[in-house]
Amino acid sequence: MIANLKGKLRAMKSSSLPGKPETARDAGTTAWDAGTEIMANLEQGGDSGSGCCPNPESRPDRGSLGGTVVSGQDGEFVRKRTIYGYEESYGRIPLLDLQNAVFADSLWWTRLDRDLCPKDIVFLDTETTGLAGGTGTVAFLVGLGYVEENGLVVDQYLMRDFDEEVPMLQAAADQLRRRSILVTFNGKSFDWPLLESRLILSGIPPIHWEDTHLDLLPAARRLWSARLPDCSLSTLEKEILSQRRTDDIPGSMIPHIYLDFLKSRRPGRMRQVLQHNEWDIAAMAALLVHFAALYHDPEIDRDACELLGIGKELERAHRIRQAAACYQECINLAPNPFVLNAKKRLAYLTKRYRGPQEAMELWADLAGKEGSSLCFPLIEMAKFLEHQQKDFPGALECTEKAILLTNRFSDSDIGSQRLQAELLHRRQRLMKKMRRRMEQWG
């Protein structure tokens, strides 16, 4: 039955397009169109014969939704362009900073293979027929943003029905190929894999970004996950960019709104979808500018959470002096919930690069806090006193305190059991050394 249906579809195509060579993309598109119209005809109670391909002029007006209907060899789609001038701001971020932001020496925090250049960047956000992904999910709206002489340009490519997917994707892909750095928000996990699969299924050569794709979601989590309830774009807009959207729609409703539009052709809520997508692009641009400012001058007017996150990135990039300075500045902003972690990381850096004696003050401070349940500073102090200072009684005192703390842990915790066994072994070794020293003195 499937083979017969495919044969009929091929016959329909060849009869409607005489003399035109069949390409993989044309065949796929025609099959989709014909199959869709057959199903629509069957649902209306008609037959699937010659009436399945109505005159295009007789179909309902799909509208332009505030954009421009673009016609090409493969069909129609809608493109809508919006320009944010450099005199405007998004939240508290002046868009002029898109031109003035310092992206030199950005490899260490972007984790790309090249420094950012504003005119090389394309921001991408998609709206889809489902949020789970997979082959059956279609990106019906592709939003692209880029920096031009007159401001941040947001181009939106919309397919008003499934037969417009190929021309819409082709136009979006052509624009994407003009830029060398892709910036998304959760795009490595969702937007780009989905769009790439749709390009391949439509017979359009995919674009390979590899080490030139900057996903702002992991970058945001590295800085603010410890302070914010979540790192969704809407939360970052409110808490970091100080931007409040009005009359916005939740992203979870967008697939339903689009499917409702396919049935009703009412443009009202689809205009909200376009606005939501446009705001997402502008928010990504503002967020990138804010990242650039944070990482360019890490110690200027930063909160404790940001200082800790920037310090970790600097430490990862082996910029030890700058990382230590960020940790110290975080500690100076006490009281805050990040001081403990900053002291811990600063102590380990000090031990590794300046020696354990320099770190003793930090360990003693951590261990001496009232109600402290930290074992690691006591263990580090015991190591230094035993092996460097040969102060066996002092090392034994630290070890005994650490053993008392481990007794509070659950007996089912394998890590705690292993730690306690190591501490008991250390205590036994220290007591032997102390006895040997007493024997040497007679």
Side-chain angles (χ1 to χ4, degrees):
M1 180 176 180
I2 293 175
N4 291 337
L5 178 58
K6 288 182 177 179
K8 289 179 180 179
L9 292 173
R10 284 194 294 269
M12 289 165 56
K13 179 188 179 302
S14 61
S15 63
S16 61
L17 297 173
K20 180 180 178 181
E22 180 176 333
T23 64
R25 184 162 50 129
D26 292 334
T29 305
T30 306
W32 177 271
D33 294 346
T36 303
E37 291 170 4
I38 289 171
M39 291 301 298
N41 205 3
L42 289 174
E43 289 176 354
Q44 294 170 5
D47 60 51
S48 59
S50 60
C52 69
C53 294
N55 189 332
E57 297 180 358
S58 67
R59 72 185 182 189
D61 181 21
R62 296 178 176 183
S64 63
L65 295 165
T68 302
V69 177
V70 179
S71 299
Q73 179 181 359
D74 295 317
E76 296 180 344
F77 66 94
V78 168
R79 187 184 73 183
K80 182 174 183 288
R81 170 165 289 192
T82 307
I83 300 176
Y84 288 77
Y86 288 126
E87 72 281 0
E88 300 181 52
S89 296
Y90 194 82
R92 63 187 179 93
I93 307 297
L95 292 182
L96 181 61
D97 289 351
L98 274 171
Q99 283 190 319
N100 300 333
V102 180
F103 290 112
D105 190 33
S106 60
L107 297 181
W108 62 275
W109 64 267
T110 63
R111 305 187 183 186
L112 303 180
D113 66 354
R114 68 187 73 178
D115 282 327
L116 294 176
C117 177
K119 293 193 175 181
D120 292 337
I121 294 171
V122 56
F123 299 96
L124 166 70
D125 185 60
T126 63
E127 308 302 336
T128 65
T129 56
L131 302 179
T135 306
T137 303
V138 176
F140 66 85
L141 174 60
V142 178
L144 303 179
Y146 21 84
V147 179
E148 299 285 3
E149 293 296 330
N150 54 344
L152 174 66
V153 177
V154 179
D155 278 343
Q156 295 171 286
Y157 300 82
L158 172 69
M159 65 178 211
R160 299 163 298 173
D161 212 326
F162 293 102
D163 61 329
E164 295 184 355
E165 182 184 20
V166 171
M168 182 270 288
L169 288 177
Q170 183 66 67
D174 290 343
Q175 190 61 251
L176 281 166
R177 294 182 205 280
R178 298 178 184 176
R179 312 284 165 157
S180 57
I181 295 176
L182 179 66
V183 177
T184 62
F185 193 89
N186 196 33
K188 284 190 175 181
S189 299
F190 184 76
D191 297 81
W192 183 247
L194 172 64
L195 195 59
E196 187 176 39
S197 69
R198 297 312 304 176
L199 290 173
I200 293 171
L201 289 170
S202 299
I204 301 171
I207 306 166
H208 303 289
W209 299 102
E210 274 87 27
D211 296 325
T212 58
H213 182 174
L214 173 59
D215 191 335
L216 296 178
L217 176 58
R221 285 173 173 164
R222 289 193 287 269
L223 281 187
W224 297 300
S225 61
R227 176 161 70 87
L228 301 179
D230 60 71
C231 285
S232 65
L233 191 55
S234 59
T235 299
L236 295 176
E237 278 187 296
K238 289 184 289 186
E239 301 297 333
I240 305 301
L241 304 178
S242 301
Q243 172 70 12
R244 299 288 191 278
R245 296 189 185 186
T246 57
D247 198 29
D248 191 24
I249 53 174
S252 59
M253 292 180 59
I254 289 176
H256 173 75
I257 291 172
Y258 180 68
L259 295 176
D260 183 65
F261 167 74
L262 294 180
K263 298 176 184 177
S264 67
R265 296 299 173 188
R266 290 191 294 268
R269 305 207 73 185
M270 273 300 295
R271 293 181 184 272
Q272 288 182 289
V273 172
L274 285 160
Q275 183 65 76
H276 176 93
N277 179 261
E278 177 193 314
W279 281 336
D280 282 353
I281 297 288
M284 281 192 282
L287 196 59
L288 181 63
V289 168
H290 188 55
F291 274 122
L294 284 173
Y295 284 113
H296 179 61
D297 292 311
E299 299 173 57
I300 298 179
D301 193 25
R302 310 294 178 233
D303 64 36
C305 181
E306 290 170 343
L307 285 165
L308 180 62
I310 294 171
K312 289 178 181 179
E313 282 296 286
L314 287 164
E315 184 181 345
R316 174 188 170 274
H318 305 290
R319 301 186 178 204
I320 305 305
R321 288 183 181 274
Q322 292 172 281
C326 285
Y327 294 146
Q328 187 60 61
E329 187 62 27
C330 178
I331 294 168
N332 294 342
L333 293 177
N336 65 74
F338 311 104
V339 167
L340 181 62
N341 202 347
K343 284 184 176 180
K344 178 180 177 180
R345 301 190 79 93
L346 181 58
Y348 277 126
L349 283 182
T350 304
K351 174 190 175 183
R352 181 171 183 179
Y353 293 98
R354 299 182 62 187
Q357 187 167 0
E358 297 289 335
M360 278 293 288
E361 183 178 347
L362 285 164
W363 288 327
D365 181 53
L366 286 167
K369 294 292 184 183
E370 185 176 352
S372 173
S373 60
L374 297 174
C375 284
F376 83 90
L378 292 167
I379 295 171
E380 293 295 338
M381 291 170 67
K383 290 178 182 178
F384 174 71
L385 292 171
E386 177 185 359
H387 300 296
Q388 301 292 326
Q389 298 291 319
K390 306 301 181 184
D391 181 1
F392 302 141
L396 182 60
E397 181 182 358
C398 292
T399 303
E400 294 284 8
K401 289 180 180 179
I403 290 172
L404 289 175
L405 289 175
T406 58
N407 288 335
R408 301 178 188 176
F409 301 149
S410 171
D411 293 337
S412 61
D413 188 338
I414 297 176
S416 299
Q417 293 175 6
R418 185 182 298 113
L419 176 61
Q420 191 171 45
E422 291 174 358
L423 289 170
L424 291 172
H425 178 72
R426 181 183 300 277
R427 180 174 66 177
Q428 186 178 15
R429 184 177 68 241
L430 285 167
M431 292 177 69
K432 285 183 178 179
K433 288 182 177 182
M434 290 174 65
R435 284 197 300 268
R436 191 179 304 120
R437 177 174 288 179
M438 292 296 293
E439 291 173 356
Q440 289 173 348
W441 280 92

